[in-house]
Amino acid sequence: MIKRVRSWWKQKDPQLLPERSMDNVPEHVAIIMDGNGRWAKSRGLPRIVGHQTGMKAVKRATIAADELGIKYLTLYAFSTENWKRPKDEVDFLMRLPQEFLAIELDELIQKNVQVRMMGDRDGLPQHTLNAMEEAMRRTAGNDGLVLNFALNYGSRKEMTDCMRELGKQIQEGRLSPDEISPELIDRHLLSGGMPDPDLIIRTSGEMRLSNFMLWQLAYSEMWFTDIYWPEFNRNHLYEAVAEYQRRTRRYGGLT
């Protein structure tokens, strides 16, 4: 396993942090990591350089989430629609989890982080799946920050698979239609066992959900930024959380 000369977990951003409270910290933050290719293009670099540089932003976001006391951090790493991209780019993206975890897994274990993955495993290359499964196995006993990678994930497929499973149970007589509830659906989604995201962040200036956790984001607060994902740092997550803390969540009510 590759070792770091200096622990990236201990690195600090010298910039002043936005004012925020340690109260009312979102329990679950989900991030649509967008803009790697455009960041690279703006610098005259190949798109794959943007994806590789984006791994550094994953580190920074993980460190900042742990500092803030966030319990779940879900990162949209690869969507079911991303297979439409050029094969060489897809092949590179499929190697990134293996590269990231080879470098950082020991540190994640030391810091009590639990790695999870949600997505369609059947479509993933074996080397990608092996890296994720090793990380999940070795961190399964950790009870600190949950770092959840949405990999080969699509919300519509997730909900379709959920409905198929519930339909099968009804057909077999194990479930009555009257027993179907939001709580039952929650338990059959890939995010089962995790609370819904309190805060969703999207980088690169785009303002859409892109087939990401459509059921789970029903009452999530949204925060958009124009910066590209490779530029995302500790200050940006602190800024997003500070904005979240200034809002009042009513869940359809008046208070």
Side-chain angles (χ1 to χ4, degrees), residues 2 52 55 92 95-104 131:
I2 302 173
Q52 193 163 40
M55 288 200 306
F92 184 84
R95 290 196 299 271
L96 286 181
Q98 185 177 12
E99 180 179 341
F100 175 80
L101 291 168
I103 296 171
E104 309 299 351

Side-chain angles (χ1 to χ4, degrees), residues 113-139:
V113 173
Q114 182 183 124
V115 177
R116 296 187 190 177
M117 189 198 91
M118 64 179 192
D120 185 2
R121 299 186 182 197
D122 291 340
L124 293 173
Q126 194 60 49
H127 62 84
T128 305
L129 191 57
N130 288 346
M132 293 304 305
E133 288 181 341
E134 179 190 2
M136 289 186 285
R137 176 181 56 80
R138 292 182 60 191
T139 63

Side-chain angles (χ1 to χ4, degrees), residues 193-207:
M194 293 192 295
D196 291 341
D198 301 292
L199 174 64
I200 172 72
I201 296 170
R202 181 164 188 156
T203 57
S204 86
E206 304 292 351
M207 297 185 182

Side-chain angles (χ1 to χ4, degrees), residues 157-175:
K157 184 180 189 308
E158 175 188 38
M159 289 190 283
T160 300
D161 290 344
C162 173
M163 293 303 103
R164 285 175 176 163
E165 174 58 27
L166 295 180
K168 179 181 178 182
Q169 292 182 25
I170 292 172
Q171 188 177 45
E172 294 174 350
R174 295 184 288 125
L175 180 69

Side-chain angles (χ1 to χ4, degrees), residues 233-250:
N233 62 34
R234 182 168 170 252
N235 283 36
H236 297 118
L237 184 59
Y238 273 59
E239 182 182 351
V241 169
E243 173 60 27
Y244 169 86
Q245 292 173 330
R246 288 192 287 268
R247 301 180 187 179
T248 301
R249 303 180 74 189
R250 298 184 178 87

